[in-house]
């Protein structure tokens, strides 16, 4: 390695503090920002990074891992003997078939393609199944290979420009569905292929709603990888494109614009920009209020019912313990007409209670999330962090409950 090269914390035998500093700078966070989110100071973070303070205890290491979106705990600790995947779930049994369908580009396939209308009807059923099934990854993983192949055929076999644009819109939505399956699977490159192909197909479709959905998913992929500036750029570009259309457009376009507005606030919260985060949340709430009372966007879950859950997420990402619990008490998860989205909200509530020093309530809430949609919590790094932390609790009852949940999540052997 050249003398002036930046060391790689994933391969070089660095001390904990050095790894922390490199991962923090790669995420674009200052010491003051990271310290504030931990309830500490920037000088405390500096003391850890420079080795003046010894390696923190497990609960603080897990907090660092959560804030820096460390996918494998060994990336932060340097201990290669124990790998604990936080923001990567176990490879799903249907992943190989989905991978093969995404990676395959048959050019001599003579099978007749179904119409874009037929593909959209299948997509509508797939989204409904995803929202209703506790094992939603298994359900959509079974549907995706045929959907991907048929949508690709429809694009290739379209003769007229209007038919081709409709087929591209359907293909982009298939990739959107695939991104929900591929997210947090152990194949980051596949996620980016899906996100990029979805965006390209959306642009070719020239359909505002399709473009908005692809941008929403691309922004999430950037943010979850720690690329906050890229997430902001995608969101801003999409909103600049959609905003002039809003006075005279469909509810689905208004909903995707609202979802993108909240995403801008979500990213701001991840940056610890409190005022900006809540300002975007306020704007998104106003946009949701203009939709029908029972409206629920099938991809983003945007609508009036989701705004309470979004408020919890903003408060939690800002690490405001008391505000998080207040928002959790005000939010009602039951009107959310989606099992995986309700489970995700329960996980956010659990984060709120953990921040507020109520670990028993947090564990109870995670148990409810597991009942709603086991596959959601199994792939959620925040839930794993809480369970791992409490499995080390000094309170026997709490430790036992956390360990039992850890077994269900595959974090501990039975």
């Amino acid at each position: 390695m050249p003398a002036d090269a930046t060391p790689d914390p994933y391969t070089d035998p660095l001390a904990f503090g050095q790894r922390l500093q490199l991962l923090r700078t790669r995420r674009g966070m200052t010491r003051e920002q990271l310290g504030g989110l931990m309830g500490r100071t920037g000088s405390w973070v500096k003391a850890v990074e420079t080795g003046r303070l010894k390696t923190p205890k497990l609960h603080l290491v897990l907090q660092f891992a959560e804030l820096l979106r460390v996918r494998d705990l060994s990336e932060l600790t340097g201990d290669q003997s124990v790998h604990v995947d936080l923001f990567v779930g176990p490879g799903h049994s249907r992943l190989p078939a989905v991978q093969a369908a995404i990676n395959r580009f048959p050019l001599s396939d003579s099978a007749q393609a179904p119409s874009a209308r037929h593909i959209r009807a299948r997509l509508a059923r797939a989204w409904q199944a995803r929202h209703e099934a506790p094992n939603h990854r298994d359900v959509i993983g079974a549907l995706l290979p045929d959907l991907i192949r048929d949508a690709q055929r429809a694009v290739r076999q379209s003769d007229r420009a209007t038919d081709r644009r409709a087929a591209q819109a359907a293909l982009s939505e298939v990739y959107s569905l695939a991104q929900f399956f591929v997210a947090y699977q152990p194949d980051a490159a596949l996620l980016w292929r899906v996100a990029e192909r979805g965006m390209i197909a959306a642009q070719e479709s020239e359909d505002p709603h399709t473009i908005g959905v692809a941008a929403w998913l691309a922004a999430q992929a950037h943010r979850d990888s720690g690329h906050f500036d890229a997430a902001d750029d995608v969101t801003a570009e999409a909103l600049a494109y959609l905003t002039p259309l809003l006075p005279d457009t469909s509810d689905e376009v208004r909903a995707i614009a609202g979802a993108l507005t909240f995403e801008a606030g979500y990213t701001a919260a991840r940056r610890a920009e409190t005022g900006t985060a809540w300002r975007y949340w306020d704007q998104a709430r106003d946009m949701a209020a203009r939709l029908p009372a029972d409206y629920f966007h099938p991809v983003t879950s945007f609508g009036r019912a989701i705004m309470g859950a979004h408020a919890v997420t903003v408060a939690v990402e800002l690490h405001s313990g008391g505000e998080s619990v207040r928002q959790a008490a005000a939010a009602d998860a039951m009107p959310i007409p989606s099992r995986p989205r309700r489970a995700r909200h329960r996980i956010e509530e659990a984060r709120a209670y953990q921040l507020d020093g109520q670990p028993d309530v947090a564990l109870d809430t995670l148990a409810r999330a597991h009942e709603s949609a086991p596959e959601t919590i199994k792939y959620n790094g925040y839930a794993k962090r809480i369970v791992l932390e409490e499995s080390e609790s000094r309170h026997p009852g709490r430790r036992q409950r956390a360990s039992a949940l850890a077994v269900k999540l595959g974090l501990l052997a039975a």
Side-chain angles (χ1 to χ4, degrees):
M1 178 187 294
D4 59 348
T6 301
D8 190 336
Y10 307 144
T11 58
D12 292 354
L14 300 178
F16 175 86
Q18 293 172 298
R19 289 173 176 272
L20 176 63
Q21 182 176 4
L22 287 170
L23 291 165
R24 174 182 60 76
T25 54
R26 286 185 178 186
R27 292 292 183 262
M29 296 179 71
T30 66
R31 285 170 173 156
E32 287 70 24
Q33 286 176 322
L34 182 57
L37 292 173
M38 299 266 309
R40 307 284 181 132
T41 64
S43 59
W44 178 81
V45 174
K46 181 178 180 180
V48 175
E49 291 181 346
T50 58
R52 287 197 293 111
L53 291 177
K54 63 182 181 180
T55 300
K57 293 183 178 180
L58 177 62
H59 73 283
L60 291 174
V61 172
L62 289 169
Q63 276 188 267
F64 278 131
E66 176 185 326
L67 291 169
L68 298 173
R69 295 288 292 193
V70 172
R71 292 181 175 270
D72 188 316
L73 205 56
S74 65
E75 298 172 8
L76 181 58
T77 64
D79 185 355
Q80 299 300 315
S81 64
V82 179
H83 291 274
V84 177
D85 290 331
L86 291 175
F87 290 92
V88 176
H92 198 280
S93 60
R94 296 195 184 276
L95 178 60
V98 175
Q99 285 173 320
I102 292 170
N103 291 334
R104 183 172 177 262
F105 269 108
L107 299 177
S108 58
D109 187 354
S110 59
Q112 179 64 40
S115 67
R117 183 177 180 181
H118 177 76
I119 294 171
R120 284 207 166 276
R122 287 161 61 188
L123 272 167
R125 291 194 296 271
W127 286 117
Q128 182 179 359
R130 178 186 179 271
H131 291 305
E132 293 177 350
N135 57 332
H136 52 94
R137 285 181 185 270
D138 192 57
V139 169
I140 64 174
L143 298 173
L144 275 170
D146 287 341
L147 270 170
I148 292 167
R149 283 189 285 267
D150 284 348
Q152 290 175 342
R153 286 186 185 123
V155 170
R156 288 198 307 273
Q157 296 178 19
S158 296
D159 295 326
R160 296 185 303 171
T162 54
D163 292 341
R164 187 173 182 82
R165 286 195 295 269
Q168 290 281 19
L171 177 60
S172 180
E173 188 171 337
V174 170
Y175 282 134
S176 297
L177 182 66
Q179 191 166 334
F180 277 87
F181 176 85
V182 172
Y184 309 119
Q185 297 276 336
D187 191 342
L190 187 69
L191 173 68
W192 283 108
R193 281 201 296 281
V194 169
E196 290 170 357
R197 289 178 188 176
M199 179 60 82
I200 291 169
Q203 291 173 332
E204 291 292 327
S205 78
E206 301 180 12
D207 177 70
H209 176 255
T210 304
I211 292 170
V213 169
W216 181 80
L217 285 164
Q220 289 195 343
H222 282 299
R223 186 183 61 241
D224 287 348
S225 299
H227 304 142
F228 295 164
D229 289 343
D232 281 337
D233 288 345
V234 171
T235 303
E237 286 283 346
L239 285 171
Y241 167 69
L242 293 173
T243 298
L245 307 177
L246 296 182
D248 185 25
T249 190
S250 63
D251 285 338
E252 65 178 7
V253 174
R254 292 190 181 95
I256 193 59
L260 283 160
T261 300
F262 171 71
E263 285 303 308
Y266 192 166
T267 304
R270 290 285 295 276
R271 291 182 187 270
E273 296 172 352
T274 302
T276 302
W278 285 115
R279 176 170 56 83
Y280 278 121
W281 181 85
D282 284 337
Q283 291 176 9
R285 179 191 55 187
D286 292 343
M287 296 169 82
R290 299 187 190 105
L291 296 168
D294 60 348
Y295 183 87
F296 181 78
H297 191 268
V299 182
T300 67
S301 299
F302 190 79
R304 297 187 192 185
I306 205 68
M307 291 314 300
H310 280 340
V312 176
T313 296
V314 169
V316 167
E317 291 293 347
L318 292 169
H319 279 239
S320 304
E323 179 64 14
S324 300
V325 169
R326 189 182 74 79
Q327 293 291 350
D332 183 2
M334 295 314 296
I336 300 175
S338 168
R339 290 183 70 135
R341 190 60 186 83
R342 285 200 301 271
R344 164 73 187 282
H345 176 51
R346 296 299 185 201
I347 293 168
E348 297 294 274
E349 287 184 319
R351 294 176 67 196
Y353 290 121
Q354 187 78 356
L355 276 172
D356 199 49
Q358 301 184 54
D360 289 309
V361 183
L363 286 175
D364 288 343
T365 308
L366 288 179
R368 294 167 67 192
H370 190 269
E371 291 173 5
S372 178
E375 286 191 342
T376 294
I377 185 172
K378 191 173 183 179
Y379 287 82
N380 189 282
Y382 301 118
K384 293 179 186 179
R385 197 269 289 177
I386 294 171
V387 170
L388 283 172
E389 182 176 328
E390 296 309 326
S391 66
E392 298 281 331
S393 172
R394 291 178 295 177
H395 300 274
R398 188 185 306 154
R399 184 171 64 247
Q400 184 177 8
R401 289 163 53 223
S403 297
L405 189 51
V407 170
K408 292 179 181 179
L409 299 183
L411 297 173
L412 295 176

